[in-house]
Amino acid sequence: MIFTRNPELGKCKTRLAASIGDQAALDIYKFLLDHTVAITKNLTVSKEVHYSIKVRENDIWDPNLYDKKQQYGDDLGLRMEHAFTEGFSKGYQNIIIIGSDMYDLEQKDIEHAFTALESQDYVIGPAEDGGYYLFGMKSLNSQVFKRKNWGTETVLQDTLKDLQNNNVKLLEERNDVDYYEDIKDIDAFQKFLR
């Protein structure tokens, strides 16, 4: 499952936009969305893209490869819980969720995460900011989506506390793109920062 924001001027990557402006932030987000398509389109699993505001028919997400869904819930935890609940009710046995702002995530990382779920109950990709960029599980555990301050540096720590009696595979720490400092030294982003 890929969670995405609708790419609209002034409504995405707002923390990044505070430093580089709305248009540059939107252009970077579109670039990150294209990267997310590139690293997921060839995965041999069922794929869903979950839109933040409205499902778009004619966009970069090929409806032959991705089921398109609407996110439901007042906060990120409720939206993820709803998506996992729906996925398990359809009979899926291993479900992974990723965001759409991970420049240093590759297809092999997602494949590695699915492999980890064969022997582990949970798989988590820790983000440098204290959150996570990937979360996967074999059966629904609603607890992991409750009592979290989403978007803060305590999310990963609080999630690991919820899972302390379970088998958890931690992937390599990665950097998601939220602030200017996250991209200022990466060549691929320089064209957006001029």
Side-chain angles (χ1 to χ4, degrees):
M1 298 185 300
I2 302 156
F3 263 39
T4 181
R5 287 189 174 276
N6 293 68
E8 297 176 7
L9 188 66
K11 295 184 179 175
C12 59
K13 292 283 147 220
T14 53
R15 292 177 289 185
L16 181 61
S19 299
I20 65 170
D22 287 342
Q23 187 60 55
L26 176 61
D27 292 343
I28 286 172
Y29 189 54
K30 287 180 177 178
F31 172 76
L32 291 168
L33 289 173
D34 287 339
H35 175 73
T36 306
V37 169
I39 66 170
T40 59
K41 67 182 178 184
N42 295 319
L43 289 170
T44 56
V45 296
S46 297
K47 295 175 283 289
E48 297 177 352
V49 59
H50 291 249
Y51 293 77
S52 61
I53 298 169
K54 182 180 178 190
V55 173
R56 302 276 181 217
E57 295 308 321
N58 299 310
D59 62 4
I60 63 171
W61 305 98
D62 181 344
N64 297 311
L65 300 177
Y66 301 91
D67 286 332
K68 298 184 176 194
K69 308 276 182 186
Q70 174 75 47
Q71 295 176 27
Y72 289 101
D74 292 333
D75 68 25
L76 180 58
L78 289 170
R79 293 193 295 267
M80 288 193 292
E81 181 183 8
H82 179 269
F84 273 99
T85 300
E86 195 175 71
F88 285 121
S89 73
K90 287 186 199 168
Y92 292 123
Q93 296 175 338
N94 296 319
I95 300 177
I96 289 174
I97 191 166
I98 62 169
S100 49
D101 58 357
M102 292 299 301
Y103 177 68
D104 58 359
L105 190 65
E106 299 296 333
Q107 178 177 326
K108 64 179 171 41
D109 299 316
I110 301 169
E111 291 167 343
H112 178 64
F114 274 110
T115 300
L117 280 178
E118 292 172 12
S119 59
Q120 305 289 312
D121 299 320
Y122 299 90
V123 60
I124 301 176
E128 288 179 6
D129 64 6
Y132 52 77
Y133 60 85
L134 178 151
F135 184 83
M137 60 180 151
K138 293 178 168 181
S139 61
L140 184 65
N141 177 351
S142 294
Q143 204 58 43
V144 297
F145 303 118
K146 301 192 182 329
R147 298 183 326 279
K148 305 286 182 300
N149 292 318
W150 299 104
T152 70
E153 71 282 351
T154 62
V155 172
L156 176 64
Q157 177 185 336
D158 291 342
T159 302
L160 290 173
K161 275 186 202 159
D162 290 339
L163 301 176
Q164 60 190 347
N165 298 319
N166 295 275
N167 295 323
V168 180
K169 168 70 174 176
L170 285 178
L171 305 176
E172 283 182 42
E173 185 176 80
R174 297 288 168 88
N175 182 30
D176 56 0
V177 175
D178 288 319
Y179 296 98
Y180 172 73
E181 290 72 25
D182 297 330
I183 60 169
K184 67 182 176 65
D185 298 323
I186 301 174
D187 289 344
F189 292 102
Q190 295 312 304
K191 62 187 174 189
F192 303 110
L193 303 178
R194 296 192 162 86

